[in-house]
Amino acid sequence: MNNSYIDEIYDVAIIGGGPAGATLAARLKRETSLSIAIFEADRFPREHIGESLVPSVISALQESGALQRVLASDCWVRKAGGYYSWDAVRPWATFFEHKAFEQDGHRRWAFHVNRAEFDDVVLQHAKACGVAVFEEAPVEALKRHDGYTEIDLGAKGTTRCRLLVNASGRYSISSITGPREFLSTYRNIAIWNYIRGGRLAQTLPGEWNIFREPNVSPIGSFAFEDGWFWYIPIPMTVNGKREVVHSLGLVTDPRALKDKRDYKSSSVFMETARRVPFLGELVQEAELISDDFRTATNYSRISSWMCSWSHREIRIGDAAFFVDPLFSSGVHFAMHHAAAAAVLVKAAFDASFDDATRADLWRDYDQMLRKQGQGFALAIDQWYNEIAHAHPNSVYWRERGARPTFEFRSATFHHLVNGTLDDDLLQVISKGTNDVEALRESGAWRQTMAVVERMRPTDETVVRLDHRVVARRSITLEHPFVEVAGDRQDPRPRAFAHGPYWDAPDEHAHEVAPRFGAPSPCVRFSLEGDDDDVRILGARSATQLVDRLRQPRRYGDLKAELSPSELLLVDQLLVAGMMEIVATPAQHGVEAGANA
C-alpha cells in the first residue's frame, strides 16, 4: 500500500480525481512550485455519466496541457453541436457558437467521450505533470486545525494539507457546513444503456438537419411523454472489438417508474425509444449490448458555500453545484471552476496579497458560482416549460409547466440582473428565432427576469447612491471581457470567439486570452459593515462615477449617459438596496411644478 502521504503536509490536497480535480491539479503543477496531491476514492478507469461535452472543455484541456494527450487517445468522437426534438414536427438544431460560425465559417467543436477512458487520460496527465495521485483512497473525515487541514483516510491513515479543494462530486465530504439546497423542484432520474446498430444522428432526413451534409456529429435529445432521451456516439470495446456504439439514456421522474412503466426492462426501454419521433428512426435496428442498466439521480442542487477562506477550502465541479444534464454542462462547469480556483489557490500562497484581498477574491468565486448555478437552472427549467406545452396530456410535463423552479432569496437577485441566456441555448429554446420574447412567460427564466425587471425604476424615478454605501478600489476574479475604457487588461478574444483557434488550438493558443488570467482591477460598492458587494471592472473613473451617483438623477438620464457596464452597476446597486429612491414620477411632478 502506497502511504507515502502520511508524513506529508501538501500545499494543496484535492479530493477527487475527475475532470475538475485532475484539471486543477495539472494546472497548478505546471504553473506553480506548490506540492499537489489528489486523493481519489475509486480506481481509474471507472464509469461515469456525462458523455457529451461542449467547446469550453477544449480550451480548458489546452490550458492544462492535456488536450494533445486526449486527441492522441481513441476515447472520443468529434462533436459539432446538437439537435433537440420535443414534438413530432421537427427538431431544432444548433452548431456550437452558431452565430460565430455563421460569421467566420470556423466550426467550433467538442467531444463525445467514453467517460471512463477520458477521465483516466486527464488523471494520468495530472500524474505526468508531477501531481501525487492516490487512488482507492476515500476520505472519511476532515478537521481544520490552525494552519492545516487533517484528512482522515480511515484504515489508510491520515495526511495534511494547507489548502483543500473539494472535487469529490455531489455526495462529498466537506469541512464547510451548510445544506445542499435544491436548484429545482424537479426530481429526475437517468436510466441508460449502450446499443449497437444505431444510425448516426446526423443521417436523419429533413432540411432542419444542418449536420447531415457536412457529416458532423451532434448529440440528439428527444422529448417523450415521460421525459427525454439522449443519443450519443461512444467509442467502446465490445467483445474484444473496438467500435463506436451509442449511449442511449432517458431522464424521467422516479414516479414514472413506480406508476407507469419499468424503464429498466430491456423490452420496455427499447420499445419506448422506437416509438419516439426521430429517435425511433435511429434505433429501429439497434440492439442492447447487455441487460445491465445504469441509473443516476439528477437532482439539481447547490452548496450553501462554494469556498471558505477561514477553512481554506474550495469546492469545484459537482461538489459546488449540479444542474440537470439537458445541455451537457457538467464537465464544462467542472473545468470552468478549476480555472477560477487556480487563481484563488495562487493568491492564497502569494505573499503580495493581503488577507482582505484574498477574502475579496474568494467571495467573488462564491458569488460567481452561485450565479452560474442559479441562472443555468432557470434556463433549463425555461426549456422544460417550453417542452411541456408540446405534451399537454402528460402529467410529467404538465407539472413542469406549472410548478415554480425554486424560491429565490432577495439577496440573490442582484447577481441575476444581467442574466442572459446562452446564445446556443436560446437558438434551440426559441425554435430558431433567437428572440427572448418568443419564450413563454410562464417559464422559470422569463418569470425571474420579469421580477428583476419590475425592480428597475421608471425613467422618471429619481435615484441616488445611498449615503451608507462605501466604494473602494480592489481586484476581482472576474475576467475583463467587457469594454471598460482604459482598463481592459487583455485585448485578446476568448477562445470561442476566435475562429482560427478551432483549426489548431495549440498553434493559436497565444492568440486567445486564458479563461481566467490575473485578477482584474475593480471598484467594490457595499453598505457599511456588510461583506456583500457589487463591483464594476476598471478603476480609473471610479471617483467621477461615485460622485455622479451621489447626486439625485433621473434613472432615464443615467441610462442615456452611462456606459453599458456602468448602467449594469446601477441596476445591481438598485436591486441590492444600495440606491435610494429620492422621488417617484408622481412625487417628482409635484416638486417640478412647485419649483416652476
Side-chain angles (χ1 to χ4, degrees), residues 281-515:
E281 298 179 49
L282 298 173
V283 301
Q284 282 301 322
E285 305 301 322
E287 60 182 19
L288 291 168
I289 291 175
S290 77
D291 293 328
D292 183 18
F293 282 83
R294 286 80 165 171
T295 62
T297 56
N298 283 324
Y299 297 172
S300 297
R301 304 187 77 168
I302 189 167
S303 298
S304 296
W305 298 96
M306 303 301 172
C307 59
S308 169
W309 175 238
S310 61
H311 285 244
R312 303 299 193 271
E313 180 178 335
I314 305 169
R315 292 179 181 266
I316 61 177
D318 288 353
F321 63 77
F322 175 80
V323 184
D324 188 285
L326 186 55
F327 210 55
S328 305
S329 62
V331 178
H332 154 75
F333 283 127
M335 291 188 169
H336 185 82
H337 300 168
V343 179
L344 268 62
V345 172
K346 292 175 187 177
F349 291 94
D350 187 338
S352 67
F353 291 92
D354 58 30
D355 274 0
T357 302
R358 292 187 184 111
D360 281 344
L361 294 176
W362 287 51
R363 187 161 53 250
D364 289 352
Y365 181 85
D366 183 84
Q367 291 181 357
M368 180 184 73
L369 267 62
R370 195 163 303 285
K371 175 183 174 181
Q372 286 177 351
Q374 292 173 337
F376 199 73
L378 288 172
I380 291 295
D381 284 352
Q382 177 77 42
W383 195 342
Y384 275 147
N385 180 268
E386 303 295 322
I387 299 173
H389 288 271
H391 298 269
N393 297 321
S394 166
V395 173
Y396 175 83
W397 287 113
R398 187 164 64 246
E399 289 187 2
R400 277 156 173 73
R403 285 189 289 168
T405 305
F406 60 96
E407 291 295 329
F408 270 120
R409 294 185 179 89
S410 59
T412 68
F413 271 103
H414 75 271
H415 301 313
L416 294 169
V417 168
N418 64 333
T420 56
L421 283 174
D422 174 270
D423 284 343
D424 291 344
L425 189 60
L426 180 59
Q427 166 87 5
V428 176
I429 301 179
S430 67
K431 297 186 176 182
T433 67
N434 291 301
D435 182 6
V436 171
E437 298 300 319
L439 305 182
R440 298 179 186 273
E441 293 182 355
S442 57
W445 190 87
R446 284 293 305 271
Q447 286 188 36
T448 302
M449 292 307 120
V451 172
V452 172
E453 188 61 34
R454 289 196 294 271
M455 291 181 171
R456 292 189 173 102
T458 63
D459 285 354
E460 294 303 314
T461 301
V462 179
V463 298
R464 69 180 171 198
L465 195 65
D466 192 296
H467 70 279
R468 298 169 298 165
V469 171
V470 176
R472 61 184 177 87
R473 296 175 186 272
S474 180
I475 59 174
T476 179
L477 182 65
E478 191 172 355
H479 211 312
F481 283 105
V482 294
E483 293 291 347
V484 182
D487 285 301
R488 190 170 180 179
Q489 288 189 328
D490 195 332
R492 295 176 297 173
R494 288 180 176 180
F496 69 78
H498 187 56
Y501 176 88
W502 297 95
D503 298 333
D506 280 346
E507 179 182 339
H508 294 280
H510 67 283
E511 299 168 4
V512 300
R515 187 170 313 196

Side-chain angles (χ1 to χ4, degrees), residues 70-197:
V70 173
L71 289 171
S73 74
D74 65 351
C75 71
W76 55 274
V77 172
R78 185 169 293 211
K79 176 186 175 185
Y83 60 76
Y84 306 85
S85 172
W86 58 83
D87 56 42
V89 180
R90 61 165 287 172
W92 295 93
T94 179
F95 289 124
F96 287 129
E97 301 299 331
H98 199 101
K99 289 182 180 178
F101 168 70
E102 290 179 337
Q103 292 171 356
D104 62 25
H106 291 276
R107 199 180 303 283
R108 282 69 174 169
W109 49 274
F111 296 131
H112 306 290
V113 296
N114 180 319
R115 275 294 300 273
E117 298 175 5
F118 172 81
D119 289 5
D120 189 44
V121 169
V122 177
L123 182 62
Q124 294 307 315
H125 173 68
K127 187 181 295 185
C129 291
V131 176
V133 176
F134 302 96
E135 298 179 72
E136 297 180 302
V139 175
E140 296 190 2
L142 298 167
K143 186 176 182 180
R144 184 67 191 174
H145 297 275
D146 185 17
Y148 68 91
T149 296
E150 182 178 86
I151 303 172
D152 183 354
L153 299 166
K156 296 190 174 183
T158 62
T159 189
R160 295 172 292 174
C161 66
R162 295 179 177 86
L163 189 150
L164 180 74
V165 176
N166 188 336
S168 55
R170 285 180 279 169
Y171 308 106
S172 57
I173 188 169
S174 175
S175 70
I176 306 174
T177 59
R180 286 175 63 82
E181 301 168 349
F182 286 106
L183 273 172
S184 174
T185 57
Y186 310 143
R187 308 288 188 263
N188 289 338
I189 186 171
I191 303 168
W192 74 100
N193 209 324
Y194 298 93
I195 61 172
R196 304 172 74 180

